[in-house]
Amino acid sequence: MNPTCVRIAVVAGAALALAACATSRPRIAKEAAPVFSQSRTTEHRGNDDLLTGGLGLAGLRAITPPAFADAEHPTPAELRRRALWANWRGIADLAPGGGYGELYGSVAAVPGREFSAFATVAGASQPHRVLVQIPDAFDAGKRCVVVTASSGSRGIYGAIAVAGAWGLPKGCAVAYTDKGAGTDYFDLDAGQGVRADGTVVARGEGMAFEPVTTASSGVAFKHAHSKDNPEADWGRHVKQAAQFALQSLDAAFPQSAPFDFGNTRVIAVGLSNGGGAVLRAAELDGDWLDAVVAGEPNVYVEGARPLYDYTTQAALLMPCALLHLQNLPQPPLSAQVAPLWAQRCAALKASGAIQGDDTAAQARSAYEAMKAAGWTDQALRAGALSVGFDLWRAVAVTYASAYGRYGFGELPCGNRYSALDANFSPRAATAAERAAWWSDASGIPPGAGVNIVEPNPTSPLTTLQCLRGLWTGDDDNARRVKQGVAETRAGLPRDGVPMVVIHGTDDGLIPPAFSSVPYVRAAQAAGRDVRYWQVRNAQHFDAFLGLPDYGARYVPLLPYVYAALDRVSAHLDGGGTLPSDAVIETTPRGAGKALQASDLAMPRD
């Protein structure tokens, strides 16, 4: 055992800096690892590096994605580069003036190797992807691994801007998992899915997700249709990624093997769902994590509101409630959406969900109902973005299917997924659309040419009420969904693991009042070493700060993730104390201005 190395676990939205290994207490050696299948190893150097696929900051900022030479048959290398482009742009604010690459973050080329495979947790029917990036600058004498999980339901590169951007330039290996979600879509019309390298193949050819269904039309995807409720196993997904990292390091550096949890520093970092995943990993038995940093984590603890509860409430009430607030961020453009939101108010009144004789009174009633359920004005304002992009419905439909372990076409509210024609009727996907799903999709439709089929097109409120009823009701389907939600409840982290949780006070998708606040409160009450940074004027989506009004109003969260990683790493190296709890009073940069370091008010204590 090498006593100079430790492991760090980092969560979404909070980044721990990985530095040299520090003196640590004795740790367990490598435990029995899971079986990994369809392993691949690829090299990435020159104009195809690990961090950006050779695109650099200018290429990542490009409006159009990297092109495929043959749109119907892209190569694995083309798919990988495009997936990197899509996932960077989906997580980070790369716009000029936003500060990325100048005030914080790195897109410097990092040459090295990638090791990838499928892994399956006990009891699951479908595998999750694991991938390890090992930079050429990895120092076997200062062994460090950053382990992470994709944000949202993104594919395997879904945390590249969180963990990769911090760990790879420091010479650490970075291990990823799609945590049982991802972009391995299956086209039921064509009978085709995705294999390990991202290319499209027919059934029986070793694909990443092959649904069990009798349906012959539409699009199935793993998060919604695996019947595994993957969120219940997020922690185990993360640990298996860390185990795959050790195995990959053994293969990469046989002369320095073995790499195990006793001689290698492991850092787990995640954002959003990835943040929740690393918190869940911190619960697992075994002395295998040195620290955890979690940004804006989707985490559910006893007594708090779970995601499905507040999402289905928002899907119903928020469009109406927002009419009660003034000066909403744009988009959605208030003049365009106000008539539609007024229609929602009237429909809610007709159904008995709210009160009021006119739109203003109805909006006030919806607003008061949401405030009574714990929503803040800051969360409601930022939540307008999720209303405008139809995210509440998208999340509600996918998670209802996942929690209830429903297969394709089995969801009791009637939703399913398909490509749509100009009349919004289901149609078969084209070969070019199908070929780009793995690289372009976010893991939850609508997007990349796949849409939600609305069973009640003339009365969408009916579907939203059905989805809400799966939480508020007491029939067999409601009990089935609520059982799935209960399976995702987080416990206390293992004692002795330093942790930093970071959350924007204006988060409108995963409000801290429902997630990080109750989690931190419970952990600290139990004596766990959890520090909490609350960032004023930060909402959920850094990537949308490229929209002028959002960039003027809000600050990015990623700088605090990276800073938390730096602070935790320095502490593990014996060079600093853990950060104190802090409410960080940031300064929005205003319209037409570039972000300044002083705007971030980075904590020093």
Coordinates of all heavy atoms in Angstrom, one line a residue, residues 135-180:
P135 N -4.8 10.5 -19.0 CA -3.9 11.4 -19.7 C -2.5 10.9 -19.8 O -2.1 10.1 -18.9 CB -4.0 12.7 -18.9 CG -4.3 12.2 -17.5 CD -5.2 11.0 -17.7
D136 N -1.8 11.2 -20.8 CA -0.4 10.8 -20.9 C 0.4 11.3 -19.8 O 1.5 10.8 -19.4 CB 0.2 11.3 -22.3 CG -0.4 10.5 -23.5 OD1 -1.0 9.5 -23.3 OD2 -0.2 11.0 -24.6
A137 N 0.0 12.4 -19.2 CA 0.7 13.0 -18.1 C 0.4 12.4 -16.7 O 0.9 12.9 -15.7 CB 0.4 14.5 -18.0
F138 N -0.4 11.3 -16.7 CA -0.7 10.6 -15.5 C 0.6 10.2 -14.8 O 1.5 9.6 -15.4 CB -1.6 9.4 -15.7 CG -2.0 8.7 -14.5 CD1 -3.1 9.1 -13.8 CD2 -1.2 7.6 -14.0 CE1 -3.5 8.4 -12.6 CE2 -1.6 7.0 -12.8 CZ -2.8 7.3 -12.1
D139 N 0.7 10.5 -13.5 CA 1.9 10.2 -12.7 C 1.6 9.0 -11.8 O 0.8 9.2 -10.8 CB 2.3 11.4 -11.9 CG 3.6 11.2 -11.2 OD1 4.1 10.0 -11.1 OD2 4.2 12.2 -10.7
A140 N 2.1 7.8 -12.1 CA 1.8 6.7 -11.3 C 2.4 6.8 -9.8 O 2.0 6.1 -8.9 CB 2.5 5.4 -11.9
G141 N 3.2 7.8 -9.6 CA 3.7 8.1 -8.3 C 2.8 9.0 -7.5 O 2.9 9.1 -6.2
K142 N 1.8 9.6 -8.1 CA 0.8 10.5 -7.5 C -0.5 10.1 -8.0 O -1.2 10.8 -8.8 CB 1.1 12.0 -7.8 CG 2.5 12.5 -7.2 CD 2.7 13.9 -7.6 CE 4.0 14.4 -7.0 NZ 4.2 15.9 -7.4
R143 N -1.0 8.9 -7.6 CA -2.1 8.3 -8.2 C -3.4 9.0 -7.9 O -3.8 9.1 -6.7 CB -2.2 6.8 -7.8 CG -0.9 6.1 -8.1 CD -0.9 4.7 -7.5 NE 0.3 4.0 -7.9 CZ 0.4 2.6 -8.1 NH1 -0.7 1.9 -7.9 NH2 1.5 2.1 -8.5
C144 N -4.1 9.5 -8.9 CA -5.4 10.1 -8.6 C -6.4 9.8 -9.6 O -6.1 9.7 -10.8 CB -5.2 11.6 -8.5 SG -4.5 12.4 -9.9
V145 N -7.7 9.6 -9.2 CA -8.8 9.3 -10.1 C -9.9 10.2 -9.7 O -10.2 10.4 -8.5 CB -9.3 7.8 -9.9 CG1 -10.6 7.7 -10.7 CG2 -8.2 6.9 -10.5
V146 N -10.5 10.9 -10.6 CA -11.7 11.7 -10.4 C -12.9 10.8 -11.0 O -12.9 10.5 -12.1 CB -11.7 13.0 -11.1 CG1 -13.0 13.8 -10.8 CG2 -10.5 13.8 -10.6
V147 N -13.9 10.5 -10.1 CA -15.0 9.7 -10.6 C -16.2 10.5 -10.6 O -16.4 11.3 -9.7 CB -15.2 8.4 -9.8 CG1 -15.5 8.7 -8.3 CG2 -16.2 7.5 -10.4
T148 N -17.0 10.4 -11.7 CA -18.1 11.3 -11.9 C -19.3 10.6 -12.5 O -19.2 9.4 -13.0 CB -17.7 12.5 -12.7 OG1 -18.8 13.5 -12.8 CG2 -17.4 12.1 -14.1
A149 N -20.5 11.2 -12.5 CA -21.6 10.7 -13.2 C -22.2 11.8 -14.0 O -22.2 13.0 -13.7 CB -22.7 10.2 -12.2
S150 N -22.8 11.5 -15.1 CA -23.4 12.4 -16.1 C -24.5 13.3 -15.4 O -25.3 12.8 -14.6 CB -23.9 11.8 -17.3 OG -22.9 11.1 -18.0
S151 N -24.5 14.6 -15.8 CA -25.6 15.5 -15.4 C -26.8 15.0 -16.1 O -26.8 14.5 -17.2 CB -25.2 16.9 -15.7 OG -24.1 17.3 -15.0
G152 N -28.0 15.3 -15.5 CA -29.3 15.0 -16.1 C -29.3 13.5 -16.5 O -29.0 12.6 -15.7
S153 N -29.7 13.3 -17.7 CA -29.8 11.9 -18.2 C -28.8 11.8 -19.4 O -28.9 10.9 -20.2 CB -31.2 11.5 -18.7 OG -32.1 11.5 -17.6
R154 N -27.8 12.6 -19.4 CA -26.8 12.7 -20.5 C -26.1 11.4 -20.7 O -26.0 10.6 -19.8 CB -25.9 13.9 -20.4 CG -26.6 15.2 -20.5 CD -25.7 16.4 -20.4 NE -26.4 17.6 -20.8 CZ -26.5 18.0 -22.0 NH1 -26.0 17.4 -23.0 NH2 -27.2 19.1 -22.3
G155 N -25.4 11.3 -21.9 CA -24.6 10.2 -22.3 C -23.3 10.2 -21.5 O -23.1 11.0 -20.6
I156 N -22.4 9.3 -21.9 CA -21.2 9.0 -21.1 C -20.3 10.2 -21.0 O -19.5 10.3 -20.1 CB -20.5 7.8 -21.7 CG1 -19.4 7.3 -20.8 CG2 -19.9 8.2 -23.1 CD1 -19.9 6.8 -19.5
Y157 N -20.3 11.2 -21.9 CA -19.5 12.4 -21.8 C -20.3 13.5 -21.1 O -19.8 14.7 -21.1 CB -19.1 12.9 -23.2 CG -18.1 11.9 -23.8 CD1 -18.5 11.1 -24.9 CD2 -16.8 11.9 -23.4 CE1 -17.6 10.2 -25.5 CE2 -15.8 11.0 -24.0 CZ -16.3 10.2 -25.0 OH -15.4 9.3 -25.6
G158 N -21.3 13.2 -20.4 CA -22.2 14.2 -19.8 C -21.6 15.0 -18.6 O -22.2 15.9 -18.2
A159 N -20.4 14.6 -18.1 CA -19.7 15.3 -17.1 C -18.4 15.8 -17.5 O -17.5 16.1 -16.6 CB -19.7 14.5 -15.8
I160 N -18.1 15.9 -18.8 CA -16.8 16.2 -19.3 C -16.4 17.6 -18.8 O -15.2 17.9 -18.5 CB -16.7 16.1 -20.8 CG1 -15.3 16.4 -21.3 CG2 -17.7 17.1 -21.5 CD1 -14.3 15.3 -21.0
A161 N -17.4 18.6 -18.8 CA -17.1 19.9 -18.4 C -17.0 20.1 -16.9 O -16.5 21.1 -16.4 CB -18.2 20.9 -18.9
V162 N -17.4 19.1 -16.1 CA -17.3 19.1 -14.7 C -16.1 18.4 -14.2 O -15.2 19.1 -13.6 CB -18.6 18.5 -14.1 CG1 -18.5 18.5 -12.5 CG2 -19.8 19.1 -14.6
A163 N -16.0 17.2 -14.4 CA -14.8 16.4 -13.9 C -13.6 16.4 -14.8 O -12.5 16.5 -14.4 CB -15.3 14.9 -13.7
G164 N -13.9 16.2 -16.1 CA -12.8 16.2 -17.1 C -12.0 17.5 -17.1 O -10.8 17.5 -17.1
A165 N -12.7 18.6 -17.1 CA -12.1 19.9 -17.2 C -11.2 20.2 -16.0 O -10.3 21.0 -16.1 CB -13.1 21.0 -17.4
W166 N -11.5 19.6 -14.9 CA -10.7 19.8 -13.7 C -9.7 18.8 -13.5 O -8.5 19.1 -13.2 CB -11.6 19.9 -12.4 CG -10.9 20.2 -11.2 CD1 -10.6 21.4 -10.7 CD2 -10.3 19.3 -10.3 NE1 -9.8 21.4 -9.6 CE2 -9.6 20.1 -9.3 CE3 -10.2 17.9 -10.2 CZ2 -8.9 19.5 -8.2 CZ3 -9.5 17.3 -9.2 CH2 -8.9 18.1 -8.2
G167 N -10.0 17.5 -13.7 CA -9.0 16.5 -13.4 C -8.0 16.2 -14.4 O -6.8 15.9 -14.1
L168 N -8.4 16.2 -15.7 CA -7.4 15.9 -16.8 C -6.2 16.8 -16.8 O -5.1 16.3 -16.9 CB -8.1 15.8 -18.1 CG -9.1 14.7 -18.3 CD1 -9.9 14.8 -19.6 CD2 -8.4 13.3 -18.3
P169 N -6.4 18.1 -16.8 CA -5.2 19.0 -16.8 C -4.3 18.8 -15.6 O -3.1 19.2 -15.7 CB -5.8 20.4 -16.8 CG -7.2 20.2 -17.4 CD -7.6 18.9 -16.9
K170 N -4.8 18.2 -14.5 CA -4.0 18.0 -13.4 C -3.3 16.6 -13.4 O -2.7 16.2 -12.4 CB -4.8 18.1 -12.1 CG -5.3 19.5 -11.8 CD -6.2 19.6 -10.6 CE -6.4 21.1 -10.2 NZ -6.9 22.0 -11.3
G171 N -3.5 15.9 -14.5 CA -2.9 14.6 -14.6 C -3.6 13.5 -14.0 O -3.0 12.4 -13.8
C172 N -4.8 13.7 -13.6 CA -5.6 12.6 -13.0 C -6.4 11.8 -14.0 O -6.8 12.4 -15.1 CB -6.6 13.2 -12.0 SG -5.9 14.0 -10.6
A173 N -6.6 10.6 -13.8 CA -7.5 9.8 -14.6 C -8.9 10.2 -14.2 O -9.2 10.5 -13.0 CB -7.3 8.3 -14.4
V174 N -9.8 10.2 -15.2 CA -11.2 10.6 -14.9 C -12.1 9.5 -15.4 O -12.1 9.0 -16.5 CB -11.6 11.9 -15.6 CG1 -13.0 12.3 -15.3 CG2 -10.7 13.0 -15.2
A175 N -13.0 9.0 -14.4 CA -13.9 7.9 -14.7 C -15.3 8.4 -14.7 O -15.7 9.2 -13.9 CB -13.7 6.8 -13.6
Y176 N -16.1 7.9 -15.7 CA -17.4 8.4 -16.0 C -18.4 7.2 -16.0 O -18.1 6.1 -16.4 CB -17.5 9.1 -17.4 CG -16.6 10.2 -17.6 CD1 -15.3 10.0 -18.0 CD2 -17.0 11.5 -17.5 CE1 -14.4 11.0 -18.3 CE2 -16.1 12.6 -17.8 CZ -14.8 12.3 -18.1 OH -13.9 13.3 -18.4
T177 N -19.6 7.5 -15.6 CA -20.7 6.6 -15.8 C -22.0 7.4 -16.3 O -22.2 8.5 -15.9 CB -21.1 5.8 -14.5 OG1 -22.3 5.1 -14.7 CG2 -21.4 6.8 -13.3
D178 N -22.7 6.8 -17.2 CA -24.0 7.4 -17.6 C -25.1 7.0 -16.6 O -26.3 7.4 -16.8 CB -24.4 7.0 -19.0 CG -24.8 5.6 -19.2 OD1 -24.9 4.8 -18.2 OD2 -25.0 5.1 -20.3
K179 N -24.8 6.3 -15.5 CA -25.6 5.9 -14.4 C -27.0 5.3 -14.9 O -28.0 5.5 -14.3 CB -25.8 7.1 -13.4 CG -26.5 8.3 -14.0 CD -26.4 9.4 -13.0 CE -27.3 10.6 -13.4 NZ -27.2 10.9 -14.8
G180 N -26.9 4.5 -15.9 CA -28.1 3.8 -16.3 C -29.1 4.6 -17.2 O -30.2 4.1 -17.4

